[in-house]
Amino acid sequence: MGRLPAAGVGKLVLEAERAPAGEDRNTRRRALVSLVVKGVRELGSELRQVVIIGSGPAGLTAALYTARANLEPLVLEGELSSTGDQPGGQLMLTTEVENYPGFAEGILGPLLMGQMRAQAERFGAQLLPAKATRAKLTDGGPHTLWYRDPSTGDEVQVEAKAVIVAMGARALMLGLPRERELLGYGVSTCATCDGFFFRGQDIAVVGGGDSALEEAIFLTKFANSVTLVHRRGELRASKIMQERALANPKVRFAWHSVVTGLVGTDKLGGVMLQDVRTGEERELAATGLFVAIGHVPSSDILRGQLEVDEQGYVLTRNGTTATSVDGVFAAGDLVDHRYRQAVTAAGTGCMAAIDAERWLEDHEDIAGPNEGSR
């Protein structure tokens, strides 16, 4: 079975992320893509034991476990980009991660994901920074996937007996200039992850639903004050959440307001608010802005094939990671819209790998359409 070059994509990614921004990092990334293109040609159209889509904590943990089970997984990591589907997932857009077990002093998000990549590759996982573009999932397998060649942009087909989908979910953003540049420097989408960093500060939360109020109330454990910015004059959240927020002396409200701009160069110093009724603008002093307007699961290529809920999250069965299609397993934030933590995603990645391994043991007779001619 063809392998990506022994130099190691995971090692290159780790070195690229450790390097300072600029020519060194870009040079290493160009070397990475060159290796991947060579690997794409080597892989051919052979039937794989397992293909994993996604390379956040869930996908890479699944890769580690399936690799150690000698299943030689192929991981379609996503494209080298900054849009949320890049290799490494959402943690590539964070700075310090302090709540992942095993790192007493914390660790940078990109470095953590680089180490996960290197660990999975050490045991034989094949890592391909390419985006899955289509899927044909067949009950009982084999399954056919297409991904975009990172060199030519052409679609390449791969077949697998089992598939683990772990593409995650992306937080909806406000679409403001420099919003993504300030992620990790005052702008956040996760109060549980980042609230501790804002101890004694004045911060803001955007949103009016249960999630926004939960984040605001949680943040009062650390912040001096939390201003909830909402475009309406009343909240959409459940009554009990409204009562809790309104009764909390640290929670303030900016009614009929939207965020129109971010103040600060290297880190957030304030947000510009506009009254939707009068058009009047004002600056709100805030060193933190938590965007809590919802998440969207990255399940587009699966819809119509796997059962999903009304929001698009993949449904699993009987406490396992098995989906509605036999031989397809789901993990991470693609499934979980409650916890959305790196450590819980990694846990379900482990579950999916074990479920896939046991399923493959019971389905050794699966053959691809070309297998008989080899």
Side-chain angles (χ1 to χ4, degrees):
M1 186 172 288
R3 287 183 178 274
L4 293 179
V9 173
K11 182 178 179 182
L12 274 175
V13 172
L14 181 58
E15 291 178 353
E17 295 306 332
R18 279 175 169 165
E23 184 177 353
D24 288 343
R25 180 179 295 180
N26 291 335
T27 299
R28 287 186 173 94
R29 283 189 167 179
R30 282 194 293 271
L32 166 64
V33 172
S34 295
L35 283 177
V36 168
V37 172
K38 181 181 178 183
V40 168
R41 297 193 182 105
E42 291 177 359
L43 290 176
S45 58
E46 60 195 17
L47 180 66
R48 312 289 304 212
Q49 290 291 314
V50 60
V51 171
I52 300 166
I53 309 177
S55 61
L60 290 179
T61 302
L64 171 64
Y65 273 76
T66 51
R68 293 187 77 250
N70 293 323
L71 296 176
E72 297 184 311
L74 170 65
V75 183
L76 301 179
E77 296 186 279
E79 293 178 316
L80 290 168
S81 68
S82 59
T83 61
D85 63 352
Q86 70 284 333
Q90 292 293 307
L91 283 184
M92 298 299 289
L93 304 177
T94 65
T95 51
E96 196 80 11
V97 177
E98 291 193 329
N99 58 357
Y100 198 89
F103 299 93
E105 301 301 321
I107 184 172
L108 293 175
L111 183 58
L112 173 61
M113 300 318 299
Q115 291 184 356
M116 283 188 174
R117 280 193 185 94
Q119 185 179 16
E121 190 178 45
R122 173 190 167 201
F123 291 100
Q126 298 179 324
L127 305 169
L128 190 63
K131 182 176 182 178
T133 55
R134 289 188 289 153
K136 182 180 179 182
L137 306 177
T138 305
D139 207 37
H143 314 285
T144 306
L145 304 170
W146 289 264
Y147 59 87
R148 187 177 296 119
D149 185 313
S151 176
T152 66
D154 296 335
E155 276 195 329
V156 180
Q157 178 180 318
V158 63
E159 293 173 344
K161 295 181 179 181
V163 172
I164 297 173
V165 290
M167 296 93 82
R170 64 185 184 277
L172 294 173
M173 304 298 289
L174 300 173
L176 298 173
R178 300 183 57 254
E179 184 177 22
R180 289 199 174 273
E181 288 88 337
L182 288 173
L183 275 172
Y185 299 93
V187 177
S188 175
T189 59
C190 180
T192 304
C193 309
D194 299 332
F196 180 83
F197 299 114
F198 294 89
R199 189 176 295 276
Q201 300 180 39
D202 296 310
I203 59 180
V205 174
V206 182
D210 277 355
S211 294
L213 267 63
E214 287 174 7
E215 300 241 313
I217 293 169
F218 176 80
L219 289 167
T220 61
K221 298 178 180 180
F222 310 101
N224 178 55
S225 70
V226 179
T227 299
L228 191 75
V229 181
H230 189 45
R231 64 169 53 248
R232 299 181 178 87
E234 57 184 20
L235 299 167
R236 296 180 288 106
S238 60
K239 291 297 182 184
I240 189 168
M241 291 304 301
Q242 291 189 44
E243 290 171 359
R244 290 175 182 173
L246 291 166
N248 193 309
K250 286 189 174 183
V251 178
R252 304 168 182 174
F253 296 88
W255 301 109
H256 302 288
S257 298
V258 294
V259 178
T260 57
L262 305 174
V263 180
T265 304
D266 299 325
K267 60 182 180 179
L268 188 71
V271 296
M272 297 302 301
L273 302 182
Q274 182 182 61
D275 190 305
V276 297
R277 300 165 302 177
T278 66
E280 180 182 353
E281 286 197 333
R282 66 184 179 94
E283 180 178 338
L284 174 70
T287 52
L289 176 67
F290 288 79
V291 182
I293 58 176
H295 289 75
V296 177
S298 301
S299 58
D300 291 350
I301 68 169
L302 307 174
R303 298 199 184 197
Q305 301 189 74
L306 296 184
E307 288 184 6
V308 298
D309 68 12
E310 62 277 3
Q311 295 176 291
Y313 290 92
V314 175
L315 297 174
T316 54
R317 299 188 167 185
N318 303 321
T320 71
T321 63
T323 68
S324 57
V325 173
D326 196 26
V328 179
F329 306 88
D333 289 3
L334 187 67
V335 177
D336 171 28
H337 51 79
R338 179 178 179 87
Y339 301 104
R340 290 196 288 258
Q341 299 297 301
V343 67
T344 53
T348 59
C350 166
M351 293 167 59
I354 294 173
D355 287 342
E357 179 188 358
R358 292 174 178 172
W359 185 88
L360 284 166
E361 289 174 355
D362 295 333
H363 296 78
E364 294 181 349
D365 57 342
I366 299 175
N370 302 318
E371 196 152 284
S373 62
R374 291 196 183 100

